[in-house]
Amino acid sequence: MRKFLYFLQTLDYMRMVLGICILLDGYPLIFFFRDELRLAPGSTMFTAVALAMGLVLMVPFTVLRRLYRPNITMFWMGISFLLFCIAYMYLFNPYPQVTDFTKDMIYFAYVIIFLFLLINIPNDIIRVFVPVVILFTLVSNLALVYALLTNPNWVIGMRATIVLGEGDEASGNPHAFSRNAFMSIIACAIWMVRPQTNFLIRLFCFFSGVFSLAILILTQTRSSVVALIIAIVFFLSFNVRPAQIRTMVKGLLKPIPIITICLGIIGLMFFFRKYYDAYAILYGYVVAFIERNMENVYAILGMKAKGADYKAVLDGSAANRSVSATFLNNVLVGHQYKLILGYGYKYLYLDIPVVEALTNQGILGFILFGGLNAIAVYHSVRVMRTNPNPLNTFLAYFYTLLMVQLFTNGRPYEISFWFPLAMMIRFMGVEHLFPAYLSDRPHLLNEEQYQVVANGQPTR
């Protein structure tokens, strides 16, 4: 009976995590059902209802009866910035005639409700969080592959995304799918290297992670690739020591590892020969990605590319950030006083969220938004070093994507920033308050915060 109740409780935690996943990473599946299966093409209402379903799934049975302490500093900074944005929207709005007040208020309300529900959700979701993320992102990746295979207009070389709209107005959002792939890679890596994970699940995580990496390459999004490189560097810095490298090298120089490596290389050669098209596709995407980014480097330096007669030019997103940098420079040179209060709500789309918080919301907006993210960076690096539990470790590495996007794309008001930031507010910096049985390294818990009593249960 006890095992059955434990199983039901696990299902309940998985329900809550599924709701969190819909809010954090629901757009790939929303686009699939809404636009690919044409249940409600282009419908904003469909998106709002889908996100609301995620909020409903998050509601615990103990709602309003048991609250959990978030990171108080981050909580008040986040709430203050959201309220500050709402005040600017109504009181300091340079474009009131074009602002969709209802839509913006709904999204702000979703963020606040999401944060409120997170404070009600028990810490025990930690033990099921990463597996649910792995399954959720895998389904989203499979939905994208299905959409690409059934789209007659998609050809090799195009960015992998689900087409939104029709005709000349058709477009896509590859960033949503690259974010999903990035989350999958991080979650699979965390669960694969975890000592408690059995061999079959590790094998599943490995292949799911490789599949997600291929999706990430197909989306051709710079921010996700840069974030993945940063995440790998952090992981190697905090988890691989010189002594471990020396031990590994000595182990590889033995006969059996050498034979295994040789057989693996031979196997890869036969695989690429048999499935050369797949290899050529991924290779072409990598080369095109490098060439496109080198083109931006050449353009910034005013250099030539592809021959002496061809002058490199910035692509659209890079050109927009260049214009944004020029605008900020002009403000700093001749209109510094404007930064005290800012230019107003959504005055100018800079494509650099942290800078837009300064120019649009002024010094206070920059302090709140920038300070919140600075604290998130601090806790992320600390968690990467200690790996206290799977959920916090996932959030720490996932935040590298948001850290890159702070300077590359988006706006400081977007829910794509605020749902992950709400997770950071709820779980980061408060690991010492979690029960010891949820920690992968209980010996790292602050002994002043926890004392183990006779029955083995931790108390504060």
Side-chain angles (χ1 to χ4, degrees), residues 22-23 46-57 110:
I22 292 175
L23 276 298
F46 184 92
T47 303
V49 171
L51 296 177
M53 288 177 57
L55 293 174
V56 172
L57 287 172
Y110 274 24

Side-chain angles (χ1 to χ4, degrees), residues 98-248:
V98 297
T99 299
D100 192 337
F101 291 89
T102 302
K103 179 181 177 181
D104 286 7
M105 279 302 301
I106 289 175
Y107 284 146
F108 283 133
Y110 274 24
V111 173
I112 294 174
I113 294 172
F114 179 66
L115 180 56
F116 169 75
L117 290 175
L118 285 175
I119 294 173
N120 283 266
I121 284 179
N123 297 318
D124 290 70
I125 66 166
I126 288 174
R127 61 184 175 87
V128 300
F129 184 85
V130 172
V132 173
V133 170
I134 292 173
L135 294 175
F136 186 87
T137 53
L138 176 61
V139 172
S140 299
N141 283 332
L142 292 173
L144 174 61
V145 171
Y146 172 84
L148 296 178
L149 293 176
T150 56
N151 183 0
N153 298 319
W154 188 82
V155 295
I156 300 300
M158 295 175 60
R159 303 178 77 176
T161 184
I162 291 178
V163 177
L164 312 176
E166 297 179 354
D168 295 335
E169 297 182 356
S171 62
N173 184 5
H175 290 280
F177 297 95
S178 67
R179 177 188 180 123
N180 178 80
F182 181 84
M183 289 177 61
S184 179
I185 294 170
I186 296 300
C188 289
I190 289 172
W191 213 245
M192 186 171 62
V193 302
R194 195 165 180 257
Q196 298 92 326
T197 305
N198 66 51
F199 174 76
L200 291 179
I201 295 179
R202 288 190 184 189
L203 196 63
F204 171 78
C205 290
F206 174 78
F207 284 107
S208 180
V210 171
F211 176 53
S212 298
L213 179 60
I215 295 294
L216 183 62
I217 294 172
L218 293 177
T219 59
Q220 303 183 60
T221 52
R222 283 188 293 267
S223 57
S224 296
V225 173
V226 172
L228 183 60
I229 294 173
I230 294 174
I232 292 173
V233 170
F234 274 126
F235 177 81
L236 295 177
S237 300
F238 295 135
N239 295 278
V240 179
R241 300 290 182 267
Q244 293 174 306
I245 297 175
R246 288 193 294 269
T247 303
M248 182 183 67

Side-chain angles (χ1 to χ4, degrees), residues 12 75 186 193 203 232 242 251 270 280 288 303 315 343 375 406 418:
D12 188 45
F75 175 82
I186 296 300
V193 302
L203 196 63
I232 292 173
F270 278 106
M303 299 168 62
D315 64 22
Y343 283 82
I375 297 174
L406 280 174
W418 280 98

